[in-house]
Amino acid sequence: MSLKQVKYIQIDDRRGTLYSAGKQSLLVPTTFIRVLSKTFIRLVDKEGAGILISKIGESIGRGYAQSLAAILKKEKAEINKKTRIQLGCNAIFMEAGWGRLKILEIDLSQSMLKVEIYRAPSMEFLKESRYNLERGILTGVYEEITGQQVYTKLLKENRKERCVVLSVCKEIPGGIEKKEEMVFVTRQRLEELVKKRTKELEDSRKALMNVLEEVTKAREKAEEEKNKTLAVITNLVDGLLVFDSRDKLVLINPQAEMLLNIGSGEVLNKTATELENIAKIQPVIILLAKGAEKNRRQELALQEDFILDITIVPLMKPAASYRRQKGANGKSGSLMILHNISREKLIEKIKSGFVSLAAHQLRTPLSAIKWALRMVLDEETGNVSREQRELLERTYQSNERMIRLINDLLNVVRIEEGKTIINLAPANLDEVVQAMINSFREKIVLKEMNLKYHQPAKKLPAITIDREKIEIALANLIDNALNYTPNKGTIEIFLTADKQNVEFTIQDNGVGIPKNQQKGIFSKFFRGENVVKIETEGTGLGMFIAKNIIEAHGGKIWFKSEENKGTTFHFSLPITN
Amino acid sequence: MKKILIVEDDKFLRELIAKKILAEGYDAAEAKDGEEGLKKIEAEKPDLVLLDLVLPGMTGFDILKSVQENPLLSDIPIIVFSNLGQRDDVDKAINLGAKDFLIKAHFTPQEIIERIKSILK
């Protein structure tokens, strides 16, 4: 215990009168020096710092002060020797508002005050308190201790919170035993604290309720979303299989069960490898194993007349979420959509059959007309007059036109069926172009055309094409150049290649395509206004067919044309396709 | 005189081509459907057959198959002349032993005779 030497005692009766206890030295515990300030009885140390013992109640007044001073003065001789100063005063209060503690004794050795506790109406005592004075949190057990005499020492005080913490000790034989801590707080403050605490609890209860409510709402929403998704999946007209990142089947909808004729219990939660052993689902599962990062579509005939269109979609995690995980490829599973296209396939087959039959049926009478006219014209049945020949020749040409129209219609039907390319094989385009030019030899001679073919400088690499279809495209382009260039005109054909593409160019100095009509040139049944007048033949399907054929090969087709100057068509085909 | 059998269901076409064949100095036999055609191939052993594909009953493809499978007949050259003309049909006919495939509407009788001549040469 540290003691401070006090030089003299001043007693202030609050009316400004100072009673000095003289120049005696007095050792006083530093605890008191620190705590007891603003005093009427001041103990002043050598450095002149004042210390409070207590404030004297108004009722006691000067008399008490005098008597205390007298006591101190009278006993000054003994003070240094004694460890306990008996204060026979009536009542000494701690700071106003702290309640009443009648100081009975100052124990210098223990740095304790012996006090009797008075309970002021405005004060409360809380024992065994857990407190945090700084934060104003106060909990504890209220206990009636009024009237008890205890040894006490001030541990903490907080003026703002208007409370102090005292250690409360009991006298036991041979000393003082520390018993408990006691918070001494004004009732008003206590009420404030209780209110505050209640409000805090109420607030946190509300907050908790809100959180609960939000959680409930979120759960309900999630449930609703889940139900919605499930309803969509269940009622989807397509079959749906969902695999997780390890290719385990985690979802199968009723349509998929129906299409594959399998129960979910047989397949659910099994891996792709396990499923491959189930005959009914095996042909579908092996498609999954082909694995790719992109969407894939494939037709699968489970039976001759039962065809599924299967789309496999890899489910990718958002880029941001998997970049953090090392080694993850971002695939969180796969989706397999089974679409029953049996009916479409059947209709396609019927349509295809119908077109084929119709073509046959139309061609038969046209063949008969063609053959009969030809035989008459070739005078196999007798002489034909000049006038008759002219008529019959024109009839023959009309018939030829009809035959060509049917060919074109058949080609259009095949394009619309998606059967543009059937037989892909490597071919030398140079050879194909030459053969096509040769097939027009007769017409070139007849029209006295100057047709030049500029062969490629180097041997062209073989490209993979459907030769028959490319021939149709070439024939249409060459035929157009011949038809729409006046006699004795010039047609130039170029074939060039770079590393990626082979390019075919056909340039004529013919009638050209009017600027305002150039947009529609590749559409079905297009015919230039200028050419309809001069050339009544032509189905208007040639360029539509050519474009579809070139594009089906992954190529491009384009042109430049000026009316009465000529037209240049180009197409390019990729070398590696 | 070389005999050419025409298997064709359209009477007018059959008569036209028969007329042309006769005019070219060949003997012509006619059959109006598949059954009759096969019977005549077996009975008359023609030097060449002009065969339509779409026929009532037995089709041209069936005849090609029967002829191909019969060692006594498989040497008889057959020219398919049809109005089918898709690649699938052509391939099928050639695989079944047809010597040539002509789309009727694309050939004149004279051109057909030239094909016949080149095979009988």
Side-chain angles (χ1 to χ4, degrees), chain A residues 7-101:
Chain A
K7 215 172 168 186
Y8 59 91
I9 300 168
Q10 281 182 321
I11 297 169
D12 187 338
D13 68 357
R14 221 183 176 186
R15 280 181 286 267
T17 318
L18 274 172
Y19 301 86
S20 180
K23 292 182 170 86
Q24 303 89 344
S25 284
L26 185 67
L27 285 170
V28 172
T30 46
T31 319
F32 296 150
I33 295 172
R34 184 174 58 80
V35 172
L36 309 174
S37 61
K38 275 186 174 179
T39 180
F40 290 128
I41 297 174
R42 293 169 94 190
L43 301 177
V44 183
D45 67 10
K46 277 180 185 163
E47 286 78 41
I51 50 165
L52 168 85
I53 292 177
S54 176
K55 175 188 170 185
I56 301 163
E58 284 298 307
S59 57
I60 296 155
R62 184 187 295 181
Y64 174 72
Q66 279 173 333
S67 67
L68 181 59
I71 292 163
L72 289 171
K73 193 178 177 181
K74 193 182 115 197
E75 292 193 4
K76 65 163 186 175
E78 281 99 324
I79 280 178
N80 281 340
K81 298 175 202 162
K82 281 188 180 177
T83 53
R84 291 183 186 185
I85 304 168
Q86 296 293 330
L87 297 175
C89 32
N90 193 16
I92 297 175
F93 297 96
M94 295 194 61
E95 287 262 346
W98 292 131
R100 297 163 188 202
L101 293 168

Side-chain angles (χ1 to χ4, degrees), chain A residues 26 164 189 206 271 457 478 492 518:
Chain A
L26 185 67
V164 290
R189 181 62 191 152
K206 269 187 199 157
T271 62
I478 298 169
E492 287 189 86
Q518 290 187 0

Side-chain angles (χ1 to χ4, degrees), chain A residues 128 148 164 222 298 320 389 478 542:
Chain A
E128 286 187 79
Q148 285 185 27
V164 290
Q298 199 159 341
R389 172 173 296 279
I478 298 169

Side-chain angles (χ1 to χ4, degrees), chain A residues 432-444 471 474-475 478-479 482:
Chain A
V432 180
V433 170
Q434 285 206 46
M436 286 321 291
I437 294 171
N438 283 337
S439 73
F440 283 97
R441 203 43 75 191
E442 210 175 306
K443 194 165 182 176
I444 294 164
E471 279 177 357
L474 282 169
I478 298 169
D479 200 29
L482 287 170

